[in-house]
Amino acid sequence: MSKVTMKLDDLSCPSCMAKIEGAMTATKGVSSAKVLFNASKVKVEFDEKLVAADELVRKVEKLGYFVQNSKVNNN
Amino acid sequence: MIFQKWLYKNANRLMALSGLMIVLGYVGKYGFKNDWAWNISMLLASILGGVPIAIHAYQALRYKQISIDLLVTIAVLGAIFIGEYEESAIVTFLFTFGSYLEKRTLEKTRSSIKTLTQMAPATALFADGKEVTIDEVNVGNQLLVRTGSQVPVDGVIYEGTGLVNEASITGEAREIRKSAGDKVFAGSFLANGSIYVIAEKIGEDTIFGKIIELVEQAQDMKSSAEKFIDRFAKFYTPAVLLLAIVVWLWSQNLALAITILVLGCPGALVIGAPVSNVAGIGNGAKNGVLIKGGEVIHTFSRVDTLLFDKTGTLTKGTTQVVEVKTFGEVSENLLTKIATVEGQSNHPLAHAIVKFIARDERVEMGQTDVIKGQGIIADEILIGNEKLLTEREILLTESQKSLLKVMQEKGSSTVLVAQAGQLKIIYGIADEIRPGVKEALTQLRRKGMQKTIMLTGDNEASAKAVASQLGIDEVHANLLPEDKAKIVEKLKKLGHKLAFVGDGINDSPSIALADIGIAMGSGTDVAIETSDIVLMKSSFDELVDAYTLAKSTVRNMTQNIALAIAVVIFLLTGLILGGTGLVPSFVNMGTGMFVHEASILVVILNGMRLISYKAKS
């Protein structure tokens, strides 16, 4: 199981959370997704065999949120 | 999606443009009496402002969310449909402008956390002087930290000495001398010297990383009140939509229906509670008080009984000799012997005596016997408690006995030394009480704390002595950790709201059981993980700050919720009364949106008061 942490531009609408979390958990290979609203971060746990971290980052960007940087932890 | 990114980037420009169109529209209408220009510019303003809102609404709908954006979008479309271009333009502009201000002010409430994360080290130097980014550092790497730079990892010094300022971890700006073998923490500053460090923990695993992660998560951890509001909003927003449709079908009055859509926006209600919590938690974090979330704030504000561990919490946990009584002549040789015997023991009382005698000389001793629960016998010298002496027929005189009793009642543990069948010395050893505890307890009482209780493993006499010095209401002594936990459980059953204050390691069962567990943890990660609130400086001032902050945050949140509800009631009443014609109808889409956005700002500004709020009175 790997974990990717993405830092987004400041989030300001609480409904963004549901949007991003929904899009992430609907992706195959993602086991959990959490949006830290106030820190403007997304933390996603996923199976690297099924989905790549880059793909998840692209997906968040597609929703219209700019990803400032992302960090992947493999373990 | 590229379009969307463009919209996102240019949101502010679009908003300004839409505002400009509205101004042009008014100029056209009242300056040039030109209705055509008026309508066109208002329509353009509605589109410029409305498209981004509509996109947000659509995206949320894809994830089955009926958002505020959707209410506004439908209202705007409806207004355009019936030709009310002015209303639609004003509503979209106010909504976007409101969101913009909301974003700007929200940034302020998050500022304390931001300054914290910005303190995270970004670069490191390898021992050979090569500079790398923090991500390139691995556990086990040897790093160099120079004067004026930040320690990049948690690790151990293997060479060099320096003065380290650990303010980012403990909140206490004090320089501590550290040299080979000492631990250093990521985020602290090397004020002087240069040190070589072996990395033991990096990034998110460091204590600093954990603090940041904890606070970030805490700000999103919702209280039960907030969860309720979230659930409420989830049903409330669709309900408003439904109500508008029903009103429209029933009255055939589209204008009325869309006004209801705008009035029903739950803006201030949704943002009011989190804003207070975020600001409150941020304020705490800045001052070394880590609070794990909105629920903790809420519960802590209602705590009426404080339980304390004694050693290491109320006291510093460092024992020292505070009183010495000698009988007859005490030779230098005897003192050296005591230092030798006690120097071999690792009992805290023995440490205190060795430190007190303070001599490096040691002598060869004969047979040394340790008598469990009594003390040590070596070369005709007895060092231990009263029992050790009396069982070996060294009897104390009446005056010696009463002296012993007085010392114990003052809160000292006593160690007796006898030589050749005679009592020679009594050492009174005590643990120093933390400064400011008494004042802090008085303040807590004034702020509404009803009862203070001490739970300790120490003996009754010294426990009572400390308690009476500090004005603690109730004492339970001679307790094992599981006994403490039992008392916590019993008090909880009696309906008290409890907070347990301990050092975070050996009190963890009680900390976990109490309604609120508070750890006096100068940067230990066990304390950070097991408790609800961490006092990084281990000071009682922080405890008072935390309690006051919790109370103020809850008060602030209540004000916000009350205001939000009052605004909705005010608008709806205004609408109904206006409809009956009893009062002039002042409530329409435009004014409704204005009042809403204003109330959102008031709520955020109210929350912001907590950022700079000083708990100290």
Side-chain angles (χ1 to χ4, degrees):
Chain A
M1 204 45 79
S2 301
K3 190 169 123 186
V4 59
T5 306
M6 301 176 223
K7 173 84 183 77
L8 311 181
D9 278 347
D10 278 355
L11 293 176
S12 55
C13 56
S15 66
C16 309
M17 295 177 64
K19 231 189 285 176
I20 299 172
E21 279 174 13
M24 289 292 106
T25 42
T27 309
K28 206 178 162 196
V30 170
S31 56
S32 76
K34 187 158 173 43
V35 175
L36 296 177
F37 176 58
N38 289 296
S40 305
K41 281 185 183 171
V42 188
K43 294 190 176 182
V44 187
E45 287 194 324
F46 63 99
D47 188 340
E48 65 274 28
K49 286 188 211 97
L50 295 170
V51 65
D54 288 354
E55 206 175 311
L56 296 172
V57 171
R58 265 201 308 278
K59 219 160 176 178
V60 171
E61 291 217 303
K62 254 192 186 171
L63 287 173
Y65 302 97
F66 181 66
V67 178
Q68 291 176 351
N69 58 61
S70 64
K71 216 169 119 185
V72 186
N73 281 356
N74 296 305
N75 43 25
Chain B
M1 289 309 145
I2 295 163
F3 173 61
Q4 207 181 332
K5 222 175 200 172
W6 181 86
L7 273 184
Y8 188 79
K9 266 205 188 125
N10 294 287
N12 293 346
R13 251 173 245 158
L14 282 176
M15 183 181 74
L17 211 55
S18 135
L20 188 69
M21 295 313 284
I22 293 176
V23 174
L24 284 180
Y26 279 113
V27 172
K29 184 174 180 185
Y30 297 104
F32 299 97
K33 309 270 179 230
N34 188 333
D35 274 350
W36 187 79
W38 157 255
N39 281 332
I40 289 290
S41 53
M42 282 302 180
L43 185 61
L44 267 174
S46 308
I47 293 169
L48 284 174
V51 169
I53 304 175
I55 288 179
H56 274 143
Y58 166 70
Q59 281 183 334
L61 206 58
R62 268 176 55 193
Y63 295 99
K64 299 185 185 66
Q65 290 251 318
I66 295 185
S67 58
I68 304 172
D69 307 84
L70 186 65
L71 298 190
V72 175
T73 308
I74 296 175
V76 167
L77 286 177
I80 292 176
F81 180 72
I82 54 174
E84 290 281 357
Y85 301 140
E86 182 189 7
E87 300 255 302
S88 64
I90 299 251
V91 164
T92 51
F93 178 73
L94 283 177
F95 188 74
T96 13
F97 187 57
S99 313
Y100 166 76
L101 289 179
E102 203 176 310
K103 200 166 150 187
R104 292 295 299 272
T105 43
L106 261 181
E107 269 166 33
K108 287 262 157 52
T109 66
R110 294 169 178 169
S111 62
S112 351
I113 262 300
K114 233 182 193 151
T115 38
L116 200 66
T117 49
Q118 275 161 0
M119 275 171 12
T123 59
L125 281 179
F126 278 139
D128 59 11
K130 186 183 162 217
E131 186 168 339
V132 291
T133 64
I134 196 73
D135 293 334
E136 293 173 61
V137 178
N138 289 310
V139 172
N141 282 158
Q142 302 185 330
L143 306 170
L144 167 65
V145 187
R146 292 199 179 122
T147 303
S149 64
Q150 245 181 338
V151 179
V153 294
D154 282 7
V156 171
I157 303 177
Y158 68 92
E159 207 185 308
T161 48
L163 288 176
V164 183
N165 182 342
E166 298 184 338
S168 59
I169 309 285
T170 61
E172 193 167 30
R174 197 161 54 92
E175 286 169 6
I176 308 160
R177 177 163 294 282
K178 297 212 172 184
S179 53
D182 287 334
K183 278 189 180 293
V184 285
F185 302 104
S188 50
F189 268 95
L190 189 65
N192 202 342
S194 69
I195 52 175
Y196 289 88
V197 178
I198 296 184
E200 289 186 332
K201 283 179 180 168
I202 53 168
E204 286 186 3
D205 296 328
T206 61
I207 285 176
F208 186 70
K210 279 187 181 161
I211 292 174
I212 289 177
E213 202 179 347
L214 184 148
V215 178
E216 280 180 355
Q217 274 170 3
Q219 292 198 318
D220 277 345
M221 209 104 76
K222 303 203 160 163
S223 67
S224 40
E226 282 173 82
K227 280 190 198 138
F228 174 76
I229 290 171
D230 277 2
R231 252 186 325 227
F232 175 71
K234 217 177 196 169
F235 293 106
Y236 177 78
T237 320
V240 170
L241 188 57
L242 198 69
L243 177 72
I245 294 172
V246 170
V247 167
W248 178 39
L249 292 177
W250 180 64
S251 68
Q252 295 293 311
N253 185 344
L254 189 57
L256 181 66
I258 55 181
T259 307
I260 288 176
L261 279 183
V262 172
L263 299 192
C265 288
L269 191 62
V270 177
I271 203 123
V275 140
S276 309
N277 280 336
V278 168
I281 290 170
N283 177 313
K286 208 171 54 191
N287 296 308
V289 178
L290 305 186
I291 305 171
K292 290 194 191 170
E295 188 62 31
V296 171
I297 290 194
H298 202 78
T299 314
F300 190 40
S301 75
R302 289 184 299 142
V303 161
D304 54 22
T305 308
L306 265 182
L307 304 168
F308 297 96
D309 164 51
K310 182 173 83 82
T311 312
T313 304
L314 291 169
T315 65
K316 283 183 172 170
T318 48
T319 50
Q320 55 187 40
V321 174
V322 290
E323 206 173 354
V324 190
K325 298 280 174 210
T326 54
F327 308 93
E329 205 203 320
V330 174
S331 67
E332 286 296 309
N333 179 266
L334 173 61
L335 291 179
T336 311
K337 282 182 173 170
I338 296 171
T340 307
V341 174
E342 294 288 78
Q344 289 158 3
S345 163
N346 56 11
H347 197 281
L349 296 180
H351 283 309
I353 292 174
V354 172
K355 207 170 142 205
F356 179 74
I357 294 176
R359 56 187 64 201
D360 298 326
E361 255 180 278
R362 294 289 183 265
V363 287
E364 197 67 36
M365 298 290 288
Q367 166 123 15
T368 307
D369 296 310
V370 178
I371 319 283
K372 210 176 168 214
Q374 297 188 358
I376 302 176
I377 302 178
D379 277 4
E380 298 295 304
I381 300 173
L382 284 66
I383 307 172
N385 56 19
E386 200 183 343
K387 211 169 165 196
L388 181 76
L389 274 61
T390 49
E391 282 193 1
R392 281 153 197 85
E393 267 141 38
I394 303 170
L395 297 177
L396 273 57
T397 64
E398 281 308 313
S399 71
Q400 285 170 339
K401 271 187 200 162
S402 67
L403 206 57
L404 195 64
K405 204 169 156 226
V406 169
M407 286 168 91
Q408 284 173 347
E409 276 168 358
K410 266 191 264 177
S412 297
S413 307
T414 46
V415 174
L416 291 70
V417 181
Q419 187 184 32
Q422 293 284 322
L423 176 65
K424 286 286 186 187
I425 311 174
I426 304 177
Y427 287 110
I429 299 167
D431 194 354
E432 204 184 327
I433 290 173
R434 275 186 204 279
V437 175
K438 192 171 181 178
E439 295 74 17
L441 292 184
T442 316
Q443 283 201 41
L444 284 170
R445 233 169 253 130
R446 225 181 27 227
K447 305 241 148 88
M449 197 61 76
Q450 287 170 10
K451 202 168 187 185
T452 48
I453 302 175
M454 181 204 283
L455 306 179
T456 176
D458 210 346
N459 71 65
E460 184 113 23
S462 55
K464 280 209 166 122
V466 172
S468 68
Q469 271 185 56
L470 297 176
I472 285 182
D473 301 323
E474 203 177 303
V475 181
H476 299 266
N478 297 315
L479 301 174
L480 296 171
E482 55 262 39
D483 300 329
K484 291 188 188 177
K486 266 182 212 147
I487 293 179
V488 170
E489 234 165 341
K490 204 177 87 191
L491 286 167
K492 247 171 102 175
K493 273 202 191 113
L494 290 173
H496 294 289
K497 277 268 168 232
L498 309 174
F500 186 95
V501 190
D503 59 13
I505 299 156
N506 47 33
D507 290 316
S508 35
S510 307
I511 286 186
L513 263 179
D515 295 301
I516 293 292
I518 302 174
M520 294 264 182
S522 305
T524 59
D525 41 358
V526 189
I528 295 175
E529 273 156 28
T530 52
S531 52
D532 301 308
I533 297 175
V534 186
L535 307 177
M536 296 304 283
K537 272 183 265 184
S538 297
S539 87
F540 272 72
D541 287 346
E542 284 177 315
L543 185 63
V544 182
D545 287 356
Y547 192 55
T548 323
L549 187 64
K551 289 214 172 228
S552 320
T553 305
V554 170
R555 200 180 318 129
N556 195 281
M557 195 170 107
T558 316
Q559 291 161 355
N560 281 355
I561 294 174
L563 178 83
I565 294 174
V567 164
V568 172
I569 293 176
F570 167 75
L571 288 177
L572 285 181
T573 331
L575 182 69
I576 295 165
L577 287 182
T580 58
L582 290 174
V583 292
S585 78
F586 59 95
V587 176
N588 57 36
M589 265 176 89
T591 53
M593 189 51 94
F594 180 76
V595 172
H596 259 308
E597 293 301 336
S599 72
I600 289 178
L601 283 185
V602 169
V603 158
I604 295 179
L605 289 174
N606 188 36
M608 276 166 69
R609 292 189 306 134
L610 288 170
I611 301 174
S612 49
Y613 174 78
K614 274 303 231 183
K616 280 267 132 138
S617 45

